[in-house]
Amino acid sequence: GQSLEQPSEVTAVEGAIVQINCTYQTSGFYGLSWYQQHDGGAPTFLSYNGLDGLEETGRFSSFLSRSDSYGYLLLQELQMKDSASYFCAALGSGNTGKLIFGQGTTLQVKP
Amino acid sequence: KAGVTQTPRYLIKTRGQQVTLSCSPISGHRSVSWYQQTPGQGLQFLFEYFSETQRNKGNFPGRFSGRQFSNSRSEMNVSTLELGDSALYLCASSLVAGEAFFGQGTRLTVV
């Protein structure tokens, strides 16, 4: 089977840094993606880690450690608009679009 | 460049009816995946099509089916609707594995 675990809720203040962790158990694993979803909106692609290490995209960074079956999304200089749900998703193989999603982490940014 | 377009945006159907949802992927994207999103189960993979062939299938009953046309547009069909099929149905297209771009979804309500 395949499952991904992430915290259900995280709260932080504007300007702070927050890390959302994701641990996975999958029968096949190729990489880890992160998506943001605002209430009433569609999931938006943030980043993909196909290799171990850190990927940085502006205020957002994502990390993967295959040996620990673990990844995280790091959000810096938090803004109110970052309040949303964040999902990690495992890619089962390199030649497929099938993503297995975690249950999502609701991030609330307070002033 | 146009994003992923899903139609219709909202739909109300009666138990026992069938429904067809449509998805137009980003131009050049040949992989189209469908997901069901509910508050209780989160984002669940339905199936993926690539070059008019179903490449992956999730753990849903046979009432859920789909197809892809030569222009990469995709449709999914749900027959004999049940109350539990009420959900947001999301379509995503991909060019690169792990990077999925979602449409706004079709919110289906079964009454």
Side-chain angles (χ1 to χ4, degrees):
Chain A
Q2 299 174 314
S3 67
L4 293 92
E5 297 280 337
Q6 50 182 130
S8 58
E9 292 182 3
V10 173
T11 302
V13 296
E14 215 173 355
I17 299 173
V18 71
Q19 179 173 313
I20 300 174
N21 298 322
C22 175
T23 57
Y24 60 87
Q25 289 183 324
T26 62
S27 53
F29 179 83
Y30 199 80
L32 194 69
S33 301
W34 289 90
Y35 293 83
Q36 177 193 60
Q37 187 177 30
H38 286 98
D39 276 349
T44 303
F45 172 75
L46 292 176
S47 68
Y48 172 69
N49 291 75
L51 301 173
D52 281 7
L54 193 67
E55 291 283 340
E56 296 179 84
T57 310
R59 295 187 297 114
F60 294 179
S61 303
S62 58
F63 173 83
L64 175 65
S65 168
R66 291 168 183 271
S67 59
D68 296 320
S69 297
Y70 164 75
Y72 67 71
L73 179 70
L74 190 73
L75 297 85
Q76 303 182 74
E77 301 172 17
L78 281 173
Q79 302 175 9
M80 298 298 291
K81 68 178 182 179
D82 297 330
S83 293
S85 292
Y86 293 83
F87 296 87
C88 57
L91 183 67
S93 71
N95 65 344
T96 175
K98 178 180 179 180
L99 292 167
I100 302 301
F101 282 83
Q103 287 297 306
T105 298
T106 301
L107 169 64
Q108 185 178 17
V109 180
K110 295 187 172 180
Chain B
K1 183 155 99 168
V4 177
T5 304
Q6 290 188 246
T7 56
R9 290 291 312 278
Y10 302 92
L11 208 49
I12 300 175
K13 289 286 188 179
T14 305
R15 271 183 303 175
Q17 287 187 311
Q18 75 164 16
V19 66
T20 299
L21 312 181
S22 181
C23 172
S24 292
I26 293 172
S27 178
H29 288 195
R30 292 161 67 189
S31 168
V32 175
S33 299
W34 289 88
Y35 295 83
Q36 181 194 65
Q37 187 172 29
T38 59
Q41 298 297 317
L43 274 155
Q44 293 189 286
F45 173 80
L46 280 157
F47 28 66
E48 182 209 3
Y49 287 87
F50 184 87
S51 294
E52 302 180 65
T53 301
Q54 188 179 85
R55 191 157 68 172
N56 279 287
K57 190 177 190 311
N59 190 27
F60 278 81
R63 300 184 297 106
F64 291 81
S65 63
R67 59 178 176 168
Q68 187 180 34
F69 302 94
S70 58
N71 61 358
S72 293
R73 190 177 70 85
S74 177
E75 289 182 347
M76 69 162 281
N77 185 78
V78 187
S79 62
T80 320
L81 284 165
E82 301 177 0
L83 294 179
D85 297 334
S86 294
L88 180 66
Y89 289 89
L90 292 159
C91 166
S93 73
S94 299
L95 182 63
V96 175
E99 299 182 15
F101 295 88
F102 285 83
Q104 290 298 307
T106 295
R107 184 161 299 281
L108 172 66
T109 302
V110 182
V111 297

